[in-house]
Amino acid sequence: RWMQYVLSAGLLVVIYADYHLFWQDGFPAIATVTGDVPSAIADLRDDVTIRAILNVPINHNLVAKEAMFIQTAHHKPIIGGHVTRETPVSQAKLNLLQSTLDLNLLDEAGVDVVILHKDDAPDLLEFVAAHLGSPRYEDERFAVFDVPSPSTTTAPLVALPVIADEQATL
């Protein structure tokens, strides 16, 4: 019987130590983010001109999760794949969209708004602002940019050489 008491006491010590390893002052001792969605982002749901939203940076798993979370507030389609679903957009196209922010490519992809997750890519703010102008909304976590209409005189990004048929069969 005394062995049961010893095992019970040992188990209580392990549970107590485990609790203090992962909790501090009644809160988890892990990185957490606030569950607040800025009203400017939630208000995007009322804008009927928005076809889709691109969240950048595109290759960041936490941004992907947060993008899906804030989608519950703005209710607009999002461009790109995320942890819980496969993307219908190729990764190469997503990289091209983010790295160029070409207005014609964004228009072709149906992107009318770009949401920059500033905590995860602080160096992208100047780049996105240089291509898209001033943000519609900005706080310490997000910057929301409207994508301007592309000009019809924009030159193509890449000119691919034409390969003759006989070379193509090699």
Side-chain angles (χ1 to χ4, degrees):
R1 188 129 186 103
W2 64 271
M3 190 63 149
Q4 289 176 338
Y5 293 124
V6 170
L7 285 174
S8 295
L11 186 60
L12 287 174
V13 168
V14 168
I15 291 173
Y16 182 78
D18 181 60
Y19 175 82
H20 283 287
L21 284 175
F22 294 102
W23 290 80
Q24 295 173 354
D25 301 322
F27 296 102
I30 57 175
T32 58
V33 295
T34 178
D36 300 337
V37 177
S39 61
I41 291 177
D43 291 343
L44 295 174
R45 72 176 161 264
D46 299 326
D47 189 344
V48 295
T49 63
I50 297 175
R51 295 173 291 168
I53 294 175
L54 175 68
N55 291 275
V56 293
I58 57 164
N59 293 325
H60 195 286
N61 285 337
L62 294 179
V63 168
K65 292 175 184 179
E66 193 168 27
M68 288 182 14
F69 171 69
I70 64 174
Q71 185 187 25
T72 63
H74 63 64
H75 302 189
K76 299 294 180 185
I78 53 178
I79 301 292
H82 300 288
V83 173
T84 59
R85 67 177 174 87
E86 192 173 315
T87 179
V89 182
S90 78
Q91 190 63 37
K93 185 173 185 177
L94 290 173
N95 287 329
L96 191 61
L97 287 173
Q98 178 178 298
S99 63
T100 64
L101 289 177
D102 180 80
L103 299 181
N104 288 318
L105 291 176
L106 290 169
D107 183 55
E108 186 270 328
V111 176
D112 294 313
V113 172
V114 172
I115 299 177
L116 173 64
H117 298 250
K118 291 169 46 174
D119 290 343
D120 301 300
D123 55 325
L124 279 179
L125 182 60
E126 289 180 30
F127 176 75
V128 176
H131 284 80
L132 303 179
S134 298
R136 162 199 287 218
Y137 169 79
E138 183 176 8
D139 65 11
E140 63 277 349
R141 291 175 49 212
F142 302 106
V144 179
F145 294 87
D146 289 318
V147 176
S149 296
S151 67
T152 57
T153 59
T154 304
L157 289 175
V158 178
L160 297 174
V162 177
I163 300 173
D165 289 337
E166 59 269 12
Q167 289 178 334
T169 58
L170 297 176

